[in-house]
Structure formats: structure tokens, C-alpha cells
């Protein structure tokens, strides 16, 4: 801890001092920040008043990245690692934020956890999601269980889907093609008719892919593992009055992907994944606040066709009823009740579980500089009874003159993570004696804002996990794998680290950003496949008002990989990724041409032990709005 703290202190002070000296003379000329986030406390909050560091992937960044998946976009953010994103398109994805795994990272779709009870971690499967249907993505690092419930122990990925923003009918069409016979087709229609706003969208993606398993046998040629996905989505909203609005949505996704038998093992297997989802969102505004219900029900089915075929189904119902009330311009609160119901169907077994969580969050601008955020939640789980979690998150904003500001912030949070239904009841691997996981997280940091032209964030954090759940393998005396199952890991898992990032608009056409995240694991064997270091730089230059080019560099550090043999772990080497992107607008922006080259330097690396990674590849695309 002392080593990391010393590094953080030196790096933070160096960057903050140098950047302030460099930009102080320009501070009075830059624009107001004007950036607003909602994930940190569910209120629309100016970024400099938020007690958390929140990263945002904007609509423009998504549109200028043809062929990139949501996992690809997230992998370029500071301290976020989506393991499996560099393999063939159907590869399983592991989400890592600050050393947390899928079970510790909550994915929200339009503010609700659209979980999959048939999955191991009961998380949302990003492979279902079409990136071109996304409006923006916010990522909060750190615990947020008081606001979002079980699963939000290490971070939250809040994905806002497109909604109608046009007063007149508008059609958007996009098509991209690329390496490995990959094609993505997207279309949406949106508009407003009187008090009704609407959006209808559809998409189709297909790729021949590459072999999922790494081929290390020169005498054989492994077959390619292809992928296809089609999806449809509708969103409607009706303004009954200035005070009352009702939203509704429906979506359907289906994907099919080939997969191999495992590390270095080719096979002709396939799985299909189908999901339907519908939701309602009534909202009533009154003098000093609003009452809102976010409701969603989704059903999902997985079919695996292989030498060991299986089928599983899941149902997830979410209902989050909130009352947001503003006592004054300085004091606001949210009081809510969050219901979550899960069902897992495998064979003749149909286990289910519920959470009913009353919660509140309070945000107080005690002074113009001091902001206090505090929250608490009582998690009432049908299997494990009542569990209380809470958080405290103060921040202080120093005015440095002009529009230069320095924010100091800190937080302490607890979290509760119930075992998934799969971990409890899955044939062969389930364990009904599992205990829920509990975590405690502490962080503090500094953010420097020099208007809207320069921002730097520096954070230190620690997290402790009790009763961590993992797959525990068993080996015979000869070191051969003979089976395994889910169990609570003995002892406490600990991780600490520091993260630094900056965004700099050097001149109007040229921007530069960079980041570094360094982690120390209490026991590296307990954090396998998670890099101990990640750093990156991104620059974008507008050659003209219609043409821009960008380069992104990311380095992923060494990782430990778990394998089904003894020794149980092997070390994977660090690797570097360089990506190039370009976009050009025509006809006043109604037509956009774009292209990307990923893995530009054709780095040969191992992402997941025993599985392939994509060599240098390209995508070109066109988007038109009419």
C-alpha cells in the first residue's frame, strides 16, 4: 500500500502541477464544462460536482467506430478490461473493473439491470448488443450497491439505448464490411407524431470469424468459428400532459455462434442465444420532484449443440419505483423500492429467487464547494434474508481562479452479492451451501478541471472481498483434472491500485488523452486473467471540419491464466494494441464514411490461454441520415 500510495502521490502532484502551470494563462478563456452525468447518484449532476470519476462514450465516438462492438469500445477506457474481446466474435466475455469480475460489475440497460439468470454470473451478455443501437455509455468505477443493488461491487456500466430525438420523421441507415467476411447492417426510423414519439430499429450482423481455439498442431487446420446476430428494438413515449409521460419498449435479439471444445481443441459446436424483453416507464412530475417506475421483464434461452448438449432458460423481472424530491437547490434525495425476481430453468429444475430492496440516496451541496452524497439499502433476499449496505461519498471543489477547479473526493462503500442461481443449482457444478459475497471499498482522489479543455483524474482505491465465489478445480495425484464446482474461497481477497487519466483539447482540431492503471493483488492466483497494468493513449485530429483521423494505443499487462491441469496457473505476457480510425462527412453531415484498422501492427499475442486472437483487421462503413 505504501508503494502504491507513494507512486500515486508523486504522479498526481507532478501531473497536476505541470498541467496547471501549462494552462493557467488560458484558464480564463476556456468554456464552461457543461458535462452532465447521471450514473453516480441517479441525479443529473455536473461532472465537477460528482463524487466519482465517470467515463462517457458519446454518440459521436460510437458512430465513428464502424464494426466495433460494445466490448471493443469499453476496452479503450481507463482501467477497464473486457477479456475475450479480441477473439472470434462469439467468444465469451469477462468484464473486469478494478479487479472485479462479471459478478461484481453491474450492466444497466436504460438504468435497469437486465440480468440473465441462466448465466453463471447472472450478468447481461454484451454479445447480444448492437453498438449502433446505443446512444451513449457511462462507466462508474467503484461500488454502487446502495443505488443499484446486488452486483454493483466494483463498477457499473450504464448503457443508454437510442430514443427518438427528432421532431420530424428521420431514417438512419448504416452498413459496414470488414475482415473475416464480416458485415453489419443497421436501420432505424424515429420521429414524433403529436404527443407520441417513436423509434423502430433493426440490425443484422454476420462474420465467418476465425478459429476460436488456438491451432498449435501444424498437421491440422482448425475450422473458422462463425457468428451471426439479428435484433429488433422499439421505443415509444407518450406525453399525456406536461406532468405525465409514459414510455414503453420491446426488443428481441438472437445470436448463433460456433465454438470449440476448449483450449487448443477444435470442434464443430454451436450455441444459440435468444432474448425477448419488454418494459414500461411511467413518470409523473410535480412541483419539487418526480415519481417514476422503471419496469422490465426479459426471457432468455441458451442452446448448446455439442458432444455434451444442454439447454437452459432464464426469466428476469425488474421494477424500480423511485421518488426524487428536491428540498431546495442544495438538497435533493431519492427514495426507492427495487424488486428483482429471477427464475432459472434447467431440465426439470426451476429454482427462483427474489430481492426486495428499499433504498435512499441523499445529495447535499453543504456549501458552494462541499458536496455530500450518502446512501443506504436494505437487501431483502429470499434465500439469505436481510443485508444492509451503505455508502458515504464527500467531495470538495476548490476554485483556482478563472474556470480552473480542483476537486478532492473520497468514498467508502459496502456491497452484497448473492450467488447466482446457476452457481447454486446447476447440474454437476452447483452448490446450495454457498454464502453470499460481501465487499468493502475505499477510494480517494483528485480531479483537476481547466475549463473544458483539460481534465486530469488521479485515484487510489482498495477493495476487500469476503466469501468470494469461484470455480474450484480438483486434480488427481498425477495432476489431471477430475472435476470441480462452485465454492466460497477461504480467506479475504484484497486488491489495491491507482489510476490516472487525462483529456486535453490541445487546439480546436487536436485532442489527446492518456491513462494508466496499476494494481497490486493480495494473491495474484485469485485474480487470474486480470492484467496488473493497463495504459493507453488516444489522439484525434480534425484535418478539416468534415474529416478526422484518430490513433489509439493500449498496453495490457501480464496476467495469470487458470488451466485445467497442474500447475493450475500459467503467466501470460503483456501485449500492445494500436488501432487507427478515420471518418469523413458529406452533404452537411447527412452521410458519413468511416473506417478502422484494428491491431494495426499485427501484434501476435495471447488474450485467453489456448484461444486465438484476431490479427490485423479492417472495417469500412457508411452511415446516412435522411
Amino acid at each position: 500500500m505504501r508503494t502504491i500510495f507513494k507512486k500515486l502521490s508523486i504522479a498526481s502532484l507532478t501531473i497536476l502541477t505541470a498541467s496547471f502551470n501549462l494552462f493557467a494563462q488560458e484558464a480564463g478563456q476556456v468554456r464552461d464544462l457543461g458535462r452532465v452525468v447521471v450514473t453516480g447518484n441517479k441525479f443529473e449532476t455536473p461532472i465537477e460536482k460528482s463524487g466519482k470519476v465517470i467515463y462517457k462514450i458519446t454518440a459521436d465516438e460510437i458512430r465513428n467506430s464502424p464494426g466495433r462492438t460494445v466490448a471493443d469500445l469499453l476496452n479503450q477506457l481507463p482501467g477497464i478490461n473486457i477479456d475475450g474481446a479480441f477473439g472470434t466474435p462469439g467468444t465469451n466475455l469477462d468484464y473486469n473493473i478494478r479487479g472485479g469480475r462479471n459478478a461484481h460489475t453491474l450492466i444497466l440497460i436504460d438504468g435497469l439491470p437486465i440480468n440473465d439468470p441462466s448465466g453463471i454470473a447472472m450478468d447481461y451478455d454484451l454479445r447480444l448488443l448492437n453498438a449502433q443501437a446505443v446512444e451513449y455509455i457511462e462507466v462508474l468505477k467503484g461500488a454502487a450497491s446502495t443505488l443499484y443493488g446486488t452486483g454493483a461491487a466494483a463498477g457499473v456500466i450504464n448503457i443508454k439505448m437510442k430514443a427518438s430525438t427528432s421532431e420530424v420523421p428521420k431514417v438512419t441507415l448504416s452498413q459496414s464490411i470488414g475482415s473475416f467476411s464480416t458485415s453489419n447492417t443497421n436501420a432505424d426510423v424515429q420521429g414524433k407524431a403529436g404527443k407520441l414519439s417513436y423509434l423502430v430499429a433493426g440490425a443484422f450482423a454476420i462474420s465467418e470469424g476465425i478459429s476460436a481455439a488456438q491451432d498449435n498442431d501444424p498437421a491440422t487446420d482448425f475450422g473458422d468459428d462463425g457468428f451471426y446476430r439479428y435484433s429488433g428494438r422499439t421505443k415509444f413515449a407518450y406525453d399525456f400532459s406536461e406532468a405525465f409521460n409514459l414510455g414503453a419498449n420491446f426488443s428481441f435479439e438472437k445470436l448463433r455462434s460456433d465454438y470449440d471444445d476448449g483450449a487448443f481443441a477444435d470442434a464443430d459446436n454451436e450455441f444459440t442465444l435468444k432474448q425477448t424483453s419488454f418494459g414500461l416507464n411511467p413518470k409523473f412530475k410535480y412541483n419539487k420532484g418526480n415519481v417514476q417506475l422503471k419496469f422490465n421483464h426479459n426471457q432468455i434461452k441458451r442452446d448448446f449443440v455439442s458432444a455434451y448438449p444442454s439447454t437452459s432458460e432464464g426469466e428476469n423481472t425488474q421494477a424500480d419505483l423511485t421518488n426524487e424530491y428536491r428540498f431546495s437547490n442544495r438538497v435533493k434525495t431519492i427514495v426507492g423500492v427495487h424488486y428483482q425476481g429471477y427464475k432459472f430453468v434447467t431440465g426439470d429444475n426451476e429454482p427462483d429467487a427474489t430481492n426486495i430492496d428499499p433504498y435512499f440516496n441523499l445529495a447535499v451541496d453543504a456549501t458552494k464547494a462541499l458536496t455530500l452524497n450518502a446512501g443506504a439499502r436494505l437487501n431483502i433476499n429470499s434465500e439469505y434474508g436481510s443485508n444492509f449496505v451503505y455508502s458515504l461519498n464527500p467531495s470538495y471543489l476548490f476554485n483556482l481562479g478563472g474556470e480552473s477547479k480542483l476537486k478532492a473526493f473520497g468514498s467508502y462503500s459496502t456491497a452484497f452479492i448473492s450467488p447466482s442461481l446457476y452457481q447454486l443449482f446447476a447440474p454437476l457444478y452447483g452448490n446450495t451451501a454457498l454464502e453470499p459475497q460481501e465487499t468493502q471499498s475505499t477510494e480517494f482522489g483528485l480531479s483537476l478541471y481547466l475549463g473544458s479543455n483539460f481534465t486530469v483524474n488521479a485515484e487510489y482505491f482498495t477493495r476487500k472481498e469476503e466469501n468470494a465465489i469461484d470455480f474450484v478445480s480438483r486434480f488427481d495425484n498425477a495432476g489431471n483434472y477430475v472435476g470441480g464446482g462452485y465454492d466460497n474461497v477461504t480467506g479475504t481477497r484484497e486488491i489495491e491500485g491507482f489510476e490516472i487519466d487525462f483529456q486535453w483539447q490541445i487546439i480546436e482540431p487536436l485532442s489527446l488523452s492518456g491513462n494508466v492503471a496499476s494494481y497490486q493483488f493480495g494473491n495474484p492466483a485469485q485474480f487470474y486473467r486480470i492484467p496488473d497494468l493497463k495504459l493507453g493513449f488516444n489522439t484525434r485530429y480534425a484535418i478539416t471540419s468534415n474529416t478526422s483521423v484518430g490513433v489509439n494505443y493500449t498496453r495490457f499487462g501480464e496476467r495469470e491464466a487458470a488451466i485445467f491441469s497442474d500447475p493450475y496457473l500459467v503467466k501470460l505476457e503483456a501485449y500492445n494494441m494500436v488501432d487507427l480510425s478515420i471518418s469523413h462527412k458529406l452533404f452537411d453531415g447527412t452521410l458519413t464514411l468511416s473506417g478502422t484498422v484494428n491491431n494495426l501492427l499485427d501484434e501476435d499475442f495471447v488474450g485467453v490461454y489456448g484461444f486465438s486472437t484476431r490479427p490485423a483487421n479492417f472495417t469500412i462503413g457508411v452511415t446516412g441520415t435522411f
Side-chain angles (χ1 to χ4, degrees), residues 46-87:
I47 187 69
E48 74 271 20
K49 298 292 286 183
S50 172
K52 298 279 190 176
V53 172
I54 298 174
Y55 302 104
K56 191 168 186 175
I57 302 173
T58 67
D60 285 343
E61 291 170 330
I62 296 171
R63 306 300 171 257
N64 291 332
S65 305
R68 283 185 178 161
T69 65
V70 173
D72 293 331
L73 295 168
L74 289 169
N75 240 349
Q76 296 184 348
L77 292 179
I80 314 291
N81 182 52
I82 310 297
D83 202 20
F86 299 126

Side-chain angles (χ1 to χ4, degrees), residues 591-606:
L591 192 69
T592 301
L593 307 177
S594 53
T596 60
V597 180
N598 300 308
N599 194 6
L600 179 66
L601 302 183
D602 201 22
E603 177 99 347
D604 185 11
F605 65 97
V606 176

Side-chain angles (χ1 to χ4, degrees), residues 38-363:
V38 297
T39 306
N41 57 15
K42 289 193 176 181
F43 302 108
E44 290 189 352
T45 304
I47 187 69
E48 74 271 20
K49 298 292 286 183
S50 172
K52 298 279 190 176
V53 172
I54 298 174
Y55 302 104
K56 191 168 186 175
I57 302 173
T58 67
D60 285 343
E61 291 170 330
I62 296 171
R63 306 300 171 257
N64 291 332
S65 305
R68 283 185 178 161
T69 65
V70 173
D72 293 331
L73 295 168
L74 289 169
N75 240 349
Q76 296 184 348
L77 292 179
I80 314 291
N81 182 52
I82 310 297
D83 202 20
F86 299 126
T88 200
T91 303
N92 287 330
L93 300 175
D94 191 17
Y95 320 137
N96 307 138
I97 297 181
R98 289 184 170 177
R101 299 192 180 279
N102 295 38
H104 308 93
T105 303
L106 189 64
I107 296 178
L108 306 176
I109 305 297
D110 287 334
L112 278 179
I114 312 301
N115 296 330
D116 174 11
S118 71
I120 295 174
M122 209 160 64
D123 55 324
Y124 181 83
D125 195 327
L126 286 177
R127 293 174 297 181
L128 288 167
L129 200 57
N130 165 34
Q132 296 302 311
V134 174
E135 183 63 25
Y136 66 80
I137 304 171
E138 287 184 354
V139 178
L140 178 152
K141 291 191 290 187
S145 278
T146 56
L147 281 173
Y148 298 107
T150 181
V156 175
I157 300 172
N158 187 12
I159 301 172
K160 179 68 169 62
M161 305 303 293
K162 273 185 175 181
S164 178
T165 57
S166 177
E167 294 290 329
V168 297
K170 183 171 73 173
V171 178
T172 301
L173 303 173
S174 67
Q175 175 66 53
S176 66
I177 58 173
S179 301
F180 320 118
S181 300
T182 301
S183 173
N184 285 276
T185 305
N186 303 273
D188 67 64
V189 179
Q190 61 172 285
K192 192 169 185 178
K195 295 183 178 182
L196 176 68
S197 59
Y198 58 88
L199 181 140
V200 180
F204 178 74
I206 189 169
S207 177
E208 289 186 4
I210 59 176
S211 172
Q214 183 178 340
D215 185 355
N216 62 352
D217 183 355
T220 63
D221 290 321
F222 284 7
D224 293 335
D225 293 300
F227 170 91
Y228 82 74
R229 178 189 63 225
Y230 60 84
S231 59
R233 180 176 295 272
T234 62
K235 265 191 176 184
F236 298 95
Y238 191 84
D239 296 321
F240 287 89
S241 66
E242 291 186 1
F244 182 64
N245 172 277
L246 177 63
N249 64 79
F250 175 80
S251 65
F252 173 79
E253 294 94 11
K254 178 181 178 181
L255 71 81
R256 185 199 64 79
S257 180
D258 302 328
Y259 69 99
D260 288 328
D261 271 350
F264 309 108
D266 192 26
D268 189 18
N269 305 326
E270 73 172 42
F271 78 89
T272 59
L273 188 58
K274 301 177 185 178
Q275 177 174 261
T276 57
S277 176
F278 71 89
L280 293 172
N281 180 205
K283 184 175 183 179
F284 177 74
K285 299 178 183 178
Y286 58 92
N287 186 30
K288 289 189 176 182
N290 66 77
V291 177
Q292 181 174 196
L293 173 66
K294 290 184 176 180
F295 169 85
N296 198 89
H297 179 81
N298 66 295
Q299 295 180 303
I300 196 161
K301 182 178 181 182
R302 297 171 181 264
D303 287 303
F304 293 85
V305 180
S306 70
Y308 306 96
S310 66
T311 297
S312 61
E313 300 178 46
E315 293 186 27
N316 168 36
T317 301
Q318 300 279 335
D320 190 12
L321 178 64
T322 59
N323 179 49
E324 177 182 329
Y325 186 78
R326 296 177 180 269
F327 291 94
S328 67
N329 291 334
R330 290 191 173 186
V331 181
K332 50 194 175 184
T333 185
I334 286 181
V335 177
V337 178
H338 188 183
Y339 170 84
Q340 303 179 77
Y342 309 109
K343 184 177 181 180
F344 174 44
V345 180
T346 174
D348 295 329
N349 298 322
E350 298 186 9
D352 57 17
T354 60
N355 290 320
I356 302 175
D357 302 358
Y359 68 95
F360 84 92
N361 190 72
L362 178 67

Side-chain angles (χ1 to χ4, degrees), residues 420-491:
S420 72
L421 295 177
Y422 185 97
Q423 291 167 336
L424 288 168
F425 301 108
L428 301 180
Y429 307 125
N431 180 2
T432 56
L434 288 174
E435 293 294 323
Q437 303 177 69
E438 297 179 0
T439 71
Q440 304 88 41
S441 302
T442 303
E443 68 174 307
F444 60 87
L446 299 170
S447 294
L448 175 66
Y449 309 102
L450 299 179
S452 60
N453 282 6
F454 186 84
T455 300
V456 60
N457 304 297
E459 303 166 85
Y460 166 82
F461 77 92
T462 64
R463 190 177 70 256
K464 295 181 179 180
E465 301 174 8
E466 304 285 348
N467 297 325
I469 297 173
D470 212 340
F471 188 89
V472 179
S473 300
R474 297 191 301 272
F475 304 95
D476 61 19
N477 293 333
N480 299 310
Y481 173 76
V482 294
Y486 292 96
D487 207 344
N488 292 108
V489 177
T490 303

